[in-house]
Amino acid sequence: MMSLEVAGLSVSYGEAKALEDVTFSLQHPSSLVIVGPNGAGKTTLLKALLGMVDYEGKLRVFGLEPRRDSQKLRQLVSYLPQASSVNQLVPLKVRDIVYSPQELAGESREAAERAIEITDIGGLLERRFSELSGGQKQRVLIARALAKRAKMLLLDEPFSMVDVGGREQIAELLLEAQRREEITLVIVSHDLSYFLKREPYVALLNKRLIAFGRAREALTLENLAKAYGLARLGEVYLAGEEHGPY
Ligand SMILES: Nc1ncnc2c1ncn2[C@@H]1O[C@H](COP(=O)(O)OP(=O)(O)OP(=O)(O)O)[C@@H](O)[C@H]1O
Ligand SMILES: [Mg+2]
């Protein structure tokens, strides 16, 4: 089954194009990491997949058309927005965020309990979300995404506020959950190195899709130079150094 089919996708905000003629497809289940510089259209791509922005071209998520079938899609896809945009949950306790109403009533708590274990937030359940540190908030939101038992997780920079030890741990756990639960994982992350050993698919984006494929094929020096500009190449190269020339 295909989880994503994207063909000739373009998204504009007014006059400005954020995505231009993007084409790729992805099998289910699998893992995809989206990388590219600031303003490359990574968040916009996730929003298009969720039917949150207008687009031109073809887009299918589990065969559904995001703009038309957004209700159905919400049940299949769980979305963790980029950190700056999650404050509507402020007055809630962690417990109320991770458990759905049915689960709080005692039905099918299993997925939520496993998510709590995976993200190691058992000690935070009675705390107020607003009082947590940035990294703790991220963990809670990842737990919520896992607990929903969605077929696809869209995570927009899930590590932006997680410490280095926590990043490695959470990346492992996400990939493990991906394998065990047969979900499709789509992650926007500048910290690609945490995922490389599981050979995810990589989409290298800078408004256009510069490259798509397994990390080794997609992240060549030439492609990185194209996406980031030569001046920034050293930085990217160093970040991935221990894994080879990408
Ligand atoms: N709601 C909006 N209205 C107008 N322009 C927007 C809007 N959202 C994004 N843009 C513009 O579209 C382009 C792509 O933005 P997007 O947020 O998708 O980038 P990104 O790759 O997620 O960047 P970052 O790594 O900084 O999160 C940017 O030039 C941005 O300024
Ligand atoms: Mg973004």
Side-chain angles (χ1 to χ4, degrees):
M1 189 210 301
M2 300 304 270
S3 50
L4 295 179
E5 295 162 86
V6 179
L9 175 73
S10 296
V11 176
S12 302
Y13 296 107
E15 294 290 280
K17 280 214 160 152
L19 290 175
E20 204 168 338
D21 198 20
V22 171
T23 300
F24 68 91
S25 57
L26 191 68
Q27 293 277 354
H28 176 75
S30 57
S31 306
L32 170 66
V33 183
I34 302 170
V35 287
N38 293 132
K42 304 181 298 295
T43 297
T44 300
L45 177 56
L46 297 192
K47 286 184 173 169
L49 299 179
L50 289 157
M52 292 165 69
V53 294
D54 279 323
Y55 58 84
E56 290 166 54
K58 178 188 165 181
L59 200 47
R60 296 285 182 278
V61 180
F62 296 120
L64 299 169
E65 206 253 285
R67 276 313 237 183
R68 203 183 45 217
D69 305 317
S70 62
Q71 283 297 90
K72 255 190 234 165
L73 252 174
R74 293 299 160 98
Q75 291 164 13
L76 298 175
V77 177
S78 184
Y79 173 48
L80 174 58
Q82 211 164 342
S84 52
S85 50
V86 269
N87 277 317
Q88 61 274 37
L89 301 162
V90 160
L92 294 177
K93 277 190 181 176
V94 170
R95 174 183 296 286
D96 303 315
I97 291 171
V98 178
Y99 287 99
S100 67
Q102 299 92 306
E103 287 164 344
L104 279 172
E107 302 159 31
S108 67
R109 302 171 65 102
E110 208 177 299
E113 271 157 19
R114 201 162 51 230
I116 288 166
E117 192 187 312
I118 282 175
T119 51
D120 194 20
I121 58 161
L124 302 176
L125 292 178
E126 303 308 324
R127 302 272 304 276
R128 286 196 186 285
F129 185 75
S130 57
E131 294 163 2
L132 300 179
S133 76
Q136 289 169 334
K137 282 182 184 158
Q138 294 282 72
R139 285 170 189 264
V140 168
L141 293 173
I142 291 170
R144 183 175 72 148
L146 287 173
K148 235 186 100 180
R149 307 211 64 176
K151 279 172 76 174
M152 182 183 294
L153 297 190
L154 302 180
L155 307 169
D156 199 345
E157 300 196 15
F159 305 135
S160 54
M161 291 188 295
V162 178
D163 63 53
V164 175
R167 288 177 190 197
E168 172 113 59
Q169 195 189 357
I170 289 176
E172 281 289 318
L173 295 165
L174 281 172
L175 290 171
E176 185 57 31
Q178 187 275 328
R179 227 169 35 85
R180 246 185 3 212
E181 320 269 328
E182 302 220 316
I183 52 185
T184 288
L185 199 56
V186 179
I187 304 170
V188 172
S189 180
H190 296 288
D191 297 313
L192 188 67
S193 55
Y194 297 108
F195 300 103
L196 285 179
K197 67 181 151 189
R198 294 284 177 82
E199 291 275 314
Y201 286 95
V202 174
L204 183 58
L205 198 65
N206 192 351
K207 203 182 289 189
R208 291 175 166 277
L209 189 63
I210 310 292
F212 180 90
R214 296 290 184 181
R216 269 161 219 287
E217 305 148 15
L219 298 180
T220 62
L221 290 178
E222 196 189 344
N223 287 338
L224 287 167
K226 240 193 255 177
Y228 287 90
L230 282 168
R232 294 200 47 204
L233 187 55
E235 212 177 296
V236 179
Y237 185 70
L238 284 176
E241 196 173 44
E242 56 178 310
H243 301 279
Y246 41 74

